[in-house]
Amino acid sequence: LKEETIVKITAAQDLKELNQIRVETLGKKGPITEVLRGMKDLSPEERPKVGSFANEIRDLLTEEIERKKQVLEEEALNAALAKETVDVTLPGRKVKHGTRHIVTQIMEEIEDIFVGMGYQIVEGYEVESDHYNFERMNLPKDHPARDMQDTFYISDEILIRTHTSPVQARTMEKHDFSKGALRMISPGKVFRRDTDDATHSHQFHQIEGLVVDKNITMGDLKGTLEVVMKKMFGEDREIRLRPSYFPFTEPSVEVDVSCFKCGGAGCNVCKYTGWIEILGAGMVHPNVLKMSGIDPEEYSGFAFGLGPDRVAMLRYGVNDIRNFYQNDLRFLSQFKGE
Ligand code: DAH
């Protein structure tokens, strides 16, 4: 039995087969148990001899099985490791990821330019009061120029802002001029009750700008905008100021950027006139300063409202603003960003 079993153990291919051998030889119904169980029929002289012989065989076989078990376990582990090996030199699968919206990219670029010039970025509120959106911008309730901005009212006094200009008032009233000039921009969403078409959207973006200090002039406004536009569009761009009207600035201007190199991107957006209007601006109206607690005899300022959607259209020759808001990935994913 001993030799026979050892041969079997040695030949065992896997742990299952080995376990079967163990059960057959050492189990309850196996030959060794049978011998030990039959001891009661033996004479007292035979018992110890047979007993110790059977125990010896059992211990020996148990040991053999244990040894083989370790060998088989190790083989199984090695086989598993070999099977599951990962080839780290294989190129990975590309993960599809989105990009920041092109208008967001443009806004961040403009923010960077102004931060570099010492401006602070201020966040306003998309839900605003009539007070800040209109009255504090020199547009009392019955002012005819309220018609320039068709408004989504939430109640008599609450609206979703039609422009980012209310942030001017909110910032001015808090500014401590003993700590120096006020220089801020405020980017964000604005809303108008307009019918959407190629150049109008009921929701678009603005970046408000405001500088207030002693002796600020129109020259500061023009110089600042020139620097920014050249940074945005290239050194060969020019700007021009046209007289205009806003209730919160006096004098007021509209600012165009030249569409050089017609035939390239932006030309269609300029409607082949060579210029595109990109922002409204002017010298802060004395009433606006006064309402925010600033003395217009001592301080003056310039302000502007810039349209990043327009900037994106001009830069990339997009001739329909609705492209920015229809979430068509075939359009949006062209602007990969960095
Ligand atoms: N708020 C104006 C608009 O939405 C844009 C604007 C014009 C802002 C002149 C200004 C400014 O700060 O000085 O049409």
Side-chain angles (χ1 to χ4, degrees):
L1 177 77
K2 187 181 99 184
E3 258 91 64
E4 202 180 295
T5 309
I6 287 178
V7 170
K8 275 198 214 159
I9 291 170
T10 318
Q13 293 288 329
D14 54 37
L15 288 164
K16 201 172 141 206
E17 200 181 330
L18 185 70
N19 192 47
Q20 209 167 338
I21 297 165
R22 186 184 60 79
V23 172
E24 272 168 18
T25 43
L26 304 173
K28 280 190 194 120
K29 289 179 188 145
I32 293 179
T33 315
E34 207 169 297
V35 168
L36 290 170
R37 211 179 273 144
M39 295 257 286
K40 59 182 186 307
D41 303 327
L42 297 176
S43 64
E45 305 88 67
E46 281 176 316
R47 265 184 219 165
K49 278 194 221 145
V50 172
S52 69
F53 184 59
N55 278 338
E56 199 179 301
I57 301 242
R58 189 189 61 194
D59 292 349
L60 189 126
L61 289 179
T62 305
E63 208 174 289
E64 276 310 310
I65 287 172
E66 202 46 48
R67 194 175 300 146
K68 180 73 180 184
K69 191 174 158 202
Q70 267 169 28
V71 172
L72 286 176
E73 272 173 358
E74 197 169 315
E75 273 174 14
L77 180 65
N78 285 339
L81 284 175
K83 208 168 92 192
E84 288 161 25
T85 304
V86 175
D87 181 354
V88 293
T89 65
L90 272 179
R93 279 191 206 100
K94 264 218 167 117
V95 178
K96 267 203 171 170
H97 58 79
T99 55
R100 280 176 315 151
H101 194 282
I102 178 58
V103 177
T104 308
Q105 292 180 38
I106 294 277
M107 296 217 290
E108 288 178 0
E109 198 180 316
I110 297 171
E111 284 167 27
D112 283 350
I113 294 173
F114 279 102
V115 167
M117 297 180 357
Y119 287 59
Q120 54 168 324
I121 298 178
V122 182
E123 291 236 22
Y125 303 113
E126 287 174 11
V127 177
E128 248 310 351
S129 61
D130 185 277
H131 176 74
Y132 279 102
N133 194 83
F134 287 128
E135 307 223 356
R136 289 285 293 275
M137 298 319 290
N138 203 26
L139 278 148
K141 284 253 156 59
D142 54 356
H143 199 292
R146 283 200 178 202
D147 289 353
M148 289 167 78
Q149 304 184 356
D150 258 344
T151 310
F152 287 112
Y153 276 94
I154 292 174
S155 67
D156 281 352
E157 285 303 318
I158 307 293
L159 44 78
I160 42 179
R161 67 179 178 192
T162 55
H163 53 177
T164 43
S165 300
V167 189
Q168 287 187 27
R170 288 186 178 278
T171 313
M172 272 188 279
E173 67 188 10
K174 275 189 270 181
H175 188 74
D176 178 358
F177 281 93
S178 71
K179 299 217 169 82
L182 165 57
R183 281 186 218 95
M184 70 97 175
I185 57 163
S186 183
K189 290 193 183 84
V190 298
F191 310 86
R192 302 256 175 109
R193 280 182 61 174
D194 281 337
T195 307
D196 293 1
D197 64 23
T199 50
H200 296 86
S201 170
H202 60 282
Q203 186 231 287
F204 56 105
H205 297 84
Q206 284 191 338
I207 297 178
E208 195 73 18
L210 174 70
V211 172
V212 182
D213 200 359
K214 288 178 180 157
N215 304 317
I216 297 291
T217 69
M218 198 90 173
D220 297 316
L221 171 64
K222 191 174 183 202
T224 303
L225 293 177
E226 214 155 52
V227 168
V228 173
M229 291 306 144
K230 282 178 193 263
K231 278 200 175 141
M232 285 298 298
F233 295 109
E235 280 302 317
D236 33 11
R237 290 293 170 124
E238 286 168 38
I239 63 168
R240 74 175 181 192
L241 274 52
R242 283 179 291 107
S244 184
Y245 171 75
F246 299 103
F248 29 88
T249 42
E250 181 57 40
S252 305
V253 292
E254 276 174 333
V255 182
D256 297 342
V257 179
S258 64
C259 305
F260 75 119
K261 266 200 287 198
C262 247
C267 189
N268 50 347
V269 183
C270 287
K271 303 202 180 84
Y272 304 94
T273 60
W275 299 91
I276 184 173
E277 184 199 325
I278 218 132
L279 51 84
M283 301 307 292
V284 181
H285 197 289
N287 286 351
V288 173
L289 292 173
K290 247 186 267 174
M291 280 187 278
S292 294
I294 296 167
D295 180 2
E297 298 292 330
E298 198 181 353
Y299 289 94
S300 58
F302 69 73
F304 58 86
L306 175 124
D309 305 84
R310 284 267 174 91
V311 173
M313 289 170 85
L314 178 59
R315 179 95 70 86
Y316 299 108
V318 176
N319 50 20
D320 193 327
I321 195 172
R322 288 170 293 192
N323 282 317
F324 296 136
Y325 300 105
Q326 285 165 339
N327 287 338
D328 185 338
L329 289 179
R330 288 170 302 179
F331 173 78
L332 294 177
S333 61
Q334 297 175 82
F335 307 102
K336 291 270 180 257
E338 70 277 12

